[in-house]
């Protein structure tokens, strides 16, 4: 789905067509490739070698062999190559390598996160996109996300997500999601809540959904919930409860269910007229939307003003106690219990 809106195309120079390079991968072939990657004199040699390597690495068994041969260090220096094709293909190699645990370890062990992130500034879209794809893949495992956080990349990623092409924005929002699981402080300090809130207005549903999910991640700690109230995130999320895309509705409601845990969060949501757009969601065809909507209902019903409004709708919510989804039934029961509770 990420590639559906792709505007960034991978055009390679015709003279590095891999079909013209006869690769005999046997003993010594990787060693030869490694030598050719390091050929500072001849750009065409480097181009052909990194293209051949890119094709070779697509076989899962070959990744470990290449790492064993020390190819990661040679690839790392190609990230700074003056030739755009070498940069483009070396970042693509790192994307493939980062899909394997042995590869992710090698990227961390060789200190390659930093030179990869330097490509966030590359003039060529394709190089920036490939670098973000590799970093995103790395972030999907906790030690990779830790490495990205420790390399102080979170503020840089938040800066980039404001201005990048939509296709690249999606990768950045995913990387940040995994980083937020291990550390929310860096993102809060770097105005992540404000940036994600502004992205809720994107005309792409995937970006609205990912931004709302990142707001949810950022609203797990108390200071995140407070920040969401402070910077106007709550009305922006309420505005997405009626979104056409179910993932957007689910994540907007999910984020509100975290923020409305605090008294301040509840009253901010109630004052922004959350109940009206929220109620239809308890009957949403998507069960995740129903669950998250019920969680918000429960939060709002914990405030006397919320309970008063919701008492008139308790029958609509009670019907969900017989929903076919266990989780929906559970949250409907909790919501009804809170709404009907009398001090």
């Amino acid at each position: 789905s990420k590639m559906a809106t792709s505007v960034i195309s991978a055009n390679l120079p015709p003279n590095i067509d891999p079909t013209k390079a006869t690769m005999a991968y046997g003993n010594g072939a990787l060693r030869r490739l490694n030598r050719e990657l390091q050929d500072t004199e001849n750009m065409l040699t480097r181009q052909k070698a990194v293209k051949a390597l890119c094709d070779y690495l697509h076989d899962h068994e070959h990744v470990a062999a290449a790492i064993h041969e020390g190819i990661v260090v040679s690839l790392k220096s190609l990230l700074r190559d003056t030739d755009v094709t070498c940069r483009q293909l070396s970042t693509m190699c790192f994307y493939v390598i980062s899909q394997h645990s042995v590869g992710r370890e090698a990227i961390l062990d060789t200190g390659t996160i930093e030179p990869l992130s330097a490509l966030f500034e590359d003039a060529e879209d394709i190089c920036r996109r490939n670098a973000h794809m590799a970093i995103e893949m790395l972030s999907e495992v906790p030690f990779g996300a830790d490495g990205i956080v420790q390399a102080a990349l979170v503020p840089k990623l938040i800066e980039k997500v404001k201005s990048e092409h939509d296709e690249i924005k999606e990768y950045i929002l995913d990387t940040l999601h995994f980083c937020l699981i291990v550390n929310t402080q860096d993102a809060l300090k770097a105005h992540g809540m404000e940036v994600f809130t502004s992205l809720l207005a994107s005309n792409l549903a995937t970006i609205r959904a990912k931004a709302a999910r990142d707001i949810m991640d950022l609203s797990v700690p108390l200071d995140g919930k407070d920040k969401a109230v402070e910077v106007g995130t709550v009305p922006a999320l309420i505005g997405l409860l009626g979104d056409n895309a179910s993932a957007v509705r689910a994540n907007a409601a999910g984020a509100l269910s975290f923020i409305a845990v605090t008294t301040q969060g509840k009253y901010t949501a109630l004052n922004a007229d959350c109940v009206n757009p929220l109620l239809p969601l308890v009957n949403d065809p998507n069960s995740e939307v129903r669950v998250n909507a019920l969680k918000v209902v429960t939060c709002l019903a914990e405030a006397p003003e919320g309970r008063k409004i919701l008492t008139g709708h308790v029958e609509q919510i009670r019907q969900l106690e017989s929903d076919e989804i266990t989780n929906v039934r559970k949250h409907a029961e909790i919501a009804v219990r809170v709404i009907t509770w009398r001090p």
Side-chain angles (χ1 to χ4, degrees):
S1 74
K2 275 177 181 161
M3 300 306 293
T5 57
S6 180
V7 286
I8 301 169
S9 74
N11 290 328
L12 296 176
N15 56 359
I16 61 154
D17 180 356
T19 51
K20 293 196 179 76
T22 55
M23 285 309 300
Y25 288 112
N27 232 354
L30 272 174
R31 211 155 302 151
R32 193 188 84 218
L33 260 191
N34 201 6
R35 262 201 317 277
E36 290 170 352
L37 291 174
Q38 298 166 29
D39 186 340
T40 48
E41 302 301 304
N42 192 332
M43 183 182 81
L44 190 58
T45 305
R46 296 197 304 278
Q47 283 183 345
K48 281 184 169 159
V50 70
K51 178 70 181 103
L53 181 64
C54 215
D55 297 333
Y56 177 71
L57 289 173
H58 278 282
D59 182 332
H60 149 82
E61 261 112 69
H62 292 166
V63 174
I67 288 166
H68 187 70
E69 197 51 57
I71 267 174
V72 171
V73 177
S74 309
L75 271 178
K76 182 180 159 184
S77 59
L78 284 184
L79 292 172
R80 290 189 298 272
D81 203 289
T82 50
D83 174 57
V84 58
T85 301
C86 289
R87 297 199 306 278
Q88 169 185 341
L89 290 169
S90 58
T91 48
M92 187 44 78
C93 286
F94 276 117
Y95 171 62
V96 177
I97 289 170
S98 66
Q99 292 169 40
H100 307 277
S101 61
V102 55
R104 292 187 286 259
E105 282 166 24
I107 289 171
L108 281 159
D109 291 345
T110 52
T112 302
I113 289 179
E114 199 278 320
L116 263 175
S117 71
L119 283 153
F120 296 168
E121 310 294 339
D122 202 280
E124 298 292 331
D125 295 349
I126 186 81
C127 296
R128 297 200 311 281
R129 190 203 67 184
N130 290 355
H132 279 293
M133 282 167 62
I135 291 288
E136 190 280 328
M137 189 54 70
L138 192 62
S139 75
E140 292 192 18
V141 295
F143 80 86
D146 271 327
I148 294 165
V149 168
Q150 278 159 23
L153 285 194
V154 169
K156 186 180 267 189
L157 288 162
I158 285 170
E159 192 52 44
K160 291 294 165 198
V161 82
K162 297 196 289 201
S163 56
E164 262 301 357
H165 292 301
D166 282 339
E167 186 190 340
I168 297 176
K169 272 190 173 115
E170 293 186 32
Y171 290 109
I172 300 176
L173 286 169
D174 284 347
T175 302
L176 285 166
H177 162 63
F178 292 111
C179 290
L180 289 168
I181 294 171
V182 301
N183 175 308
T184 50
Q185 290 313 307
D186 290 0
L188 280 170
K189 280 200 212 81
H191 305 290
M193 189 63 82
E194 294 90 322
V195 172
F196 299 149
T197 302
S198 70
L199 290 175
L200 295 176
S202 168
N203 55 1
L204 276 190
T206 47
I207 290 179
R208 296 195 299 276
K210 289 173 191 295
R213 174 203 56 193
D214 288 10
I215 288 170
M216 193 173 3
D217 299 329
L218 211 41
S219 303
V220 173
L222 180 61
D223 50 358
K225 302 179 208 295
D226 290 344
K227 182 58 78 176
V229 167
E230 182 194 317
V231 302
T233 306
V234 172
L237 290 167
I238 292 171
L240 293 183
L241 293 175
D243 200 273
N244 296 335
S246 61
V248 177
R249 297 194 300 276
N251 292 348
L256 285 166
S257 77
F258 277 97
I259 297 162
V261 165
T262 68
T263 303
Q264 206 189 7
K266 292 182 215 310
Y267 283 102
T268 304
L270 287 166
N271 293 336
D273 186 33
C274 188
V275 176
N276 281 323
L278 178 66
L279 280 168
L281 267 55
V282 303
N283 298 115
D284 197 274
N286 178 303
S287 67
E288 194 191 341
V289 176
R290 297 201 296 282
V291 166
N292 287 348
L294 288 164
K295 288 179 181 175
V296 183
V297 163
T298 301
C299 286
L300 299 180
E302 287 164 350
E305 291 81 347
R307 193 179 312 129
K308 208 163 107 185
I309 305 167
L310 289 160
T311 299
H313 303 277
V314 76
E315 288 319 308
Q316 179 191 357
I317 293 159
R318 212 187 283 279
Q319 282 166 4
L320 291 164
E321 291 182 341
S322 53
D323 194 276
E324 76 264 24
I325 307 285
T326 320
N327 212 15
V328 175
R329 293 200 297 272
K330 183 184 98 175
H331 286 285
E333 282 163 19
I334 297 169
V336 168
R337 195 159 68 236
V338 174
I339 295 167
T340 57
W341 179 81
R342 289 292 166 263

